[in-house]
Amino acid sequence: MQKKFFLLVIITLYLFVLSGCWSSKEITELMIVTGMGIDRESDTGEYKVTLQIINPGEIASQTKTERLEVTTYQTTGKSIYEVMRRFSTEVPRKMYLSHIQLVIFGEELAKEGIGKSLDFISRNNEFRTDFFILVSKGSRAEDVLNVLTPTEASPSVSLYSSINVSEQIWAPTKGVHLDELLNTLVSDGKQPVLTGVKVSGDKDKGDEVSSLEQIKPAAITKITGFAAFNKDRLVGWLTEKESKGYNYIISNITSTVGTIPCEDGGIIALEVKKAKTELQSNIKSGKPSITIKTNIEADLGEIQCDMDLTKMSIIKQIEEDAGKQVQTLMEHSITKAKEEFKSDIFGFGEAIHRQHPKAWKKIKGNWEETFPDLEISFDINYDIRRLGTISDTFQKDIK
Amino acid sequence: VGLSGKFFKAKLQPSQNQSNQISEQQKGFLKESIQTNLDDNLTKLKDLLGNSSDVVFRTFILSGKRSIHLAVIYIDGLADSKAIQHFILESMMLKCEEKLQQSARADEFSIIKDFSITIGEIKTVNTWEDVSNSIMSGDSAVLIDGYAEAIITGTKGWQDRGVTEPTSQNIVRGPKDGFSETLRTNTALIRRRIRDVNLRVESKNVGTVTKTDIAVIYIEGIADPEIVKEVHSRIDKINIDAILESGYIEELIQDETYTPFPTVYSTERPDVIIANILEGRVGIVVDGTPFALSVPAIFTEFFHASEDYYQRADFSTLVRIVRLSSFLLSLLVPAAYIAVTTFHQEMLPTRLLISLAAAREGVPFPAIVEVLIMEITFEILREAGVRLPRAVGSAISIVGALVIGEAAVTAGLVSSAMVIVVSFTAITSFVIPAYNFTMATRMLRFVFIGLAATFGLYGIILGLMALVLHLCSLRSFGVPYMESFGPFNMEDQKDSLFRFPMKKMLTRPKLIGTTNKVRQTQVDQYEEKK
């Protein structure tokens, strides 16, 4: 008993000493990467990776110097993993990828296909899955990462929060996480979209502190409409309106504001509180069709024309107009996807797959060809719930 | 643990151990009876007590039918000299002689005892051992020439600190009196609040040299007789030269020596001891210290303050939750800080990580070294502060605050985040009402820091598992330490983490107050109105 006990104690003590701290890494030994940009060099075909890192010493208020809070590093290589290791030749510490906020693909690379570069990101254990994946519109990914932001120390963190906020209150935005992207990539009834981002302003000046020393920065990053993909290749861009239509179709509206014109040339603004869309698929003699059923609840937020809101018929009229407008939005984005992209970004195929799995087996082989001819009908139910603190507008009484 | 017990078991046998304390000759003498010759007796007694200046031998003569030689022996300072003067000397010398002369009886001893000593507590003894013990405890002995007996009169009356406010357990609402160093005062404080014939105050004498009085206090019919018996037998087994504080008793009777957790509850507050006695526990009051003990003690008890029962139940419950979380925080915060910042940075929100990284930037030590520096500094400061004279204390706190809070951070030796962690931990460790329980967290904190630095959160979880197993294995006088949680007991949830309203607290703790379970019967105060 006594011997066994001692043995146990000794073994336990060994456990401490032998294991040491083998997987520990001090914060001060890490470079916290917040943004990653992937481009392809057109001449060599190598990947060019841009990493935006935090410079913690500059964030601590006591030891502030003239240096910036963020820095970007760039290296090229044939594989992304290789590039990540090559960074050690330039950077004094280990690149720490767990806190990446954004992965941005350059437009050129996206057109060639992002599938191959996604492998590293999904395989590496340091990546969390809560970062957003974006495509830079009209520029390279590095350009986006090289723009300084006025309010947030790290531009990546700034863009990340901007996507989060915008997704809540502005219909045309949607952030895409890694797992969602991978799921749509491998599913055969839906094609991925990614958030677009662009640099507006003078992108050559955006990386200088002087850009922030004026009230209106020389360049800012801006979320734009969606980048539509076919498989892993970028096939085109949705405009703001089309993006809004897209979000209505995939039921990704939390809250937004829509405007409709009224008879005497004014504008009615409606705050959408709740929007729910269901895709209903029908198979008629082997031919699929889709009904988009949307229920929208909205509050009347602003009215600039002379209308008697106390009348039920007027409200009904507004509801109908607003419903029609949402339908137009949807139709626009569907037409673009059908005619321009030839890519089922809305997941109509998936809806058919879910509701008519047997029929889907027959269709799925040539879905890409059938999709542009897919018959789509709408069933929109627009509901105005509240009129705000006044009912009838006072504008007609202004003399 | 059993092994280490064997390892430390003393090889000395009790008889050898004590040979230097009382010589065989003295031992033999103590057993002897008192002689009839007063002069012989006094010589012997002087011989026994040595040349101690505080022992007073007052001899005098009464003239009865013959002249009677008497001696009053007491210890100056322990005995109340006024009482001796008024109720022994005065009453004997001035009022007794007449009685002695007139009395038909020849037995002067009983005349003096029955008619002239005007003191309440009185007894007759005939061995030297009894005489010397009585003198040592402050009584006085009256020896009369021609009688082989001594009259012991209760004249205890030494300087006492008096009943003052307890210093270790302050309270906002509730009684402000605290125990003092005198056993009698303490038992009186208890008796005063429990006017029940079943309250038992059983005295014992422990310590071969100090002969310290201790009292075992319980209520017959509420306390489990098994536990009372166990307390008696454990105290009786003690064979030590001195009991200077109740901590001696606590250590000698506790179930488990090798644990950081106290399994005996100690307090300065009479109301706490009384509440414990009423729940079926056994109180132990030791002469010479204001700290009384109560057993069995369970884990949750250390998170209860007497005030919990004097203020609103809902608030008490909230405060108890705060205390328990403070216990966990004071145990785990530095460890969690190390684990998260050196192993699991991905768990932190990005902005927090950036702030931490900014705070740590430029600190030359790894997090574990930083934590140890700060924790050890704090322990040093605390230890220095406890024992320093009050005048120097403020100087230490200024230096400490400056060194820890300001200079170390400015010099870049420790990060400001670390200062927050350590000061927060320090504050949480003061929340637990029982001081001896916080010592456990102070020690275990370092164990957890070590575990976190080697294994990260994994180590902390392992440590917590071991801690829970250990706590569940503890017992206090046969009662599981984690009573009401493990073994789980629905009924006792009323007064463990929660404090139910008084109307709902109908019974005593299940495993402690077994003999008499019901405390109150449910009464509806508004019955008639309905």
Side-chain angles (χ1 to χ4, degrees), chain A residues 2 5 16 19-21 23-28 30 32 54 56-57 59-60 93 96 98-99 101 128 152 157 161, chain B residues 1 3 341-343 345-351 353-354 356-358 360-363 366-367 450-451 453-455:
Chain A
Q2 202 158 322
F5 183 81
F16 277 87
S19 70
C21 316
S23 67
S24 80
K25 36 193 193 293
E26 291 290 328
I27 289 186
T28 42
L30 300 176
I32 303 166
I54 290 279
I59 289 176
R93 300 175 188 177
Y96 186 63
S98 293
H99 283 272
Q101 308 284 304
R128 297 202 305 206
E152 192 90 40
V157 175
S161 344
Chain B
V1 174
L3 167 95
T341 56
T342 58
F343 287 91
Q345 292 96 346
E346 62 275 6
M347 280 179 63
L348 292 167
T350 305
R351 282 162 206 255
L353 179 74
I354 293 172
L356 282 181
R360 296 264 293 129
E361 193 67 21
V363 175
L451 282 169
T454 40
F455 302 113

Side-chain angles (χ1 to χ4, degrees), chain B residues 508-527:
Chain B
R508 302 198 154 79
K510 204 172 177 184
L511 298 180
I512 295 168
T514 37
T515 22
N516 183 351
K517 282 192 67 176
V518 181
R519 291 197 79 158
Q520 63 168 338
T521 45
Q522 199 154 17
V523 188
D524 192 342
Q525 300 279 2
Y526 301 103
E527 225 164 12

Side-chain angles (χ1 to χ4, degrees), chain B residues 430-445:
Chain B
F430 293 123
V431 175
I432 304 165
Y435 181 70
N436 49 358
F437 198 84
T438 57
M439 297 182 207
T441 62
R442 274 163 76 178
M443 284 186 282
L444 289 174
R445 188 183 304 152

Side-chain angles (χ1 to χ4, degrees), chain A residues 10-276:
Chain A
I10 288 166
I11 290 173
T12 325
L13 287 177
Y14 268 138
L15 208 64
F16 277 87
V17 180
L18 289 180
S19 70
C21 316
W22 57 273
S23 67
S24 80
K25 36 193 193 293
E26 291 290 328
I27 289 186
T28 42
E29 294 162 7
L30 300 176
M31 274 286 178
I32 303 166
V33 181
T34 52
M36 182 181 192
I38 305 175
D39 288 303
R40 199 192 282 279
E41 295 284 61
S42 44
D43 44 349
T44 53
E46 287 186 331
Y47 287 111
K48 182 173 192 182
V49 177
T50 311
L51 294 185
Q52 190 180 77
I53 58 113
I54 290 279
N55 197 352
E58 292 311 310
I59 289 176
S61 54
Q62 290 170 345
T63 53
K64 235 174 185 150
T65 65
E66 284 299 296
R67 284 175 292 183
L68 282 171
E69 287 104 335
V70 283
T71 312
T72 50
Y73 287 98
Q74 287 182 321
T75 300
T76 55
K78 282 210 168 55
S79 90
I80 296 177
Y81 202 31
E82 183 198 340
V83 181
M84 294 313 294
R85 291 294 169 94
R86 187 167 289 156
F87 272 115
S88 62
T89 58
E90 311 176 6
V91 183
R93 300 175 188 177
K94 191 184 170 298
M95 289 292 187
Y96 186 63
L97 300 172
S98 293
H99 283 272
I100 276 194
Q101 308 284 304
L102 309 166
V103 171
I104 304 174
F105 290 103
E107 190 170 8
E108 281 169 57
L109 176 68
K111 277 177 182 158
E112 289 167 36
I114 57 171
K116 283 177 186 131
S117 39
L118 277 175
D119 186 81
F120 167 76
I121 295 170
S122 53
R123 195 179 295 280
N124 192 291
N125 67 330
E126 268 190 10
F127 281 94
R128 297 202 305 206
T129 52
D130 62 347
F131 54 89
F132 288 126
I133 301 176
L134 296 90
V135 180
S136 65
K137 185 180 184 183
S139 65
R140 291 166 66 85
E142 52 179 309
D143 298 330
V144 178
L145 287 176
N146 282 337
V147 174
L148 287 170
T149 41
T151 48
E152 192 90 40
S154 157
S156 306
V157 175
S158 162
L159 205 50
Y160 180 88
S161 344
S162 163
I163 294 173
N164 266 334
V165 172
S166 177
E167 196 173 8
Q168 291 298 312
I169 59 167
W170 185 236
T173 313
K174 172 180 150 66
V176 181
H177 291 304
L178 179 68
D179 37 1
E180 188 189 339
L181 174 64
L182 293 180
N183 280 337
T184 38
L185 269 178
V186 296
S187 95
D188 39 29
K190 190 174 185 184
Q191 300 301 336
V193 294
L194 288 179
T195 322
V197 60
K198 68 172 183 188
V199 184
S200 80
D202 187 353
K203 67 182 170 198
D204 294 329
K205 283 214 178 117
D207 56 351
E208 288 168 22
V209 192
S210 62
S211 160
L212 299 182
E213 281 167 354
Q214 47 205 34
I215 192 158
K216 185 174 170 290
I220 53 163
T221 50
K222 205 171 178 181
I223 301 158
T224 65
F226 292 120
F229 281 70
N230 191 356
K231 300 275 183 304
D232 67 334
R233 279 190 304 279
L234 176 71
V235 285
W237 295 89
L238 293 176
T239 61
E240 191 179 289
K241 275 191 175 170
E242 290 156 0
S243 299
K244 199 170 178 177
Y246 174 85
N247 268 338
Y248 269 116
I249 295 172
I250 66 159
S251 194
N252 185 42
I253 304 270
T254 321
S255 164
T256 189
V257 173
T259 54
I260 50 167
C262 52
E263 284 156 15
D264 56 355
I267 287 272
I268 301 171
L270 295 158
E271 187 196 2
V272 176
K273 290 277 192 185
K274 211 189 236 177
K276 190 99 194 121

Side-chain angles (χ1 to χ4, degrees), chain A residues 314-333:
Chain A
I314 301 279
I315 301 286
K316 277 264 169 323
Q317 185 59 43
I318 299 174
E319 281 175 354
E320 202 172 295
D321 290 349
K324 262 190 200 133
Q325 207 203 358
V326 171
Q327 183 174 337
T328 328
L329 283 174
M330 292 180 182
E331 275 168 352
H332 277 309
S333 48

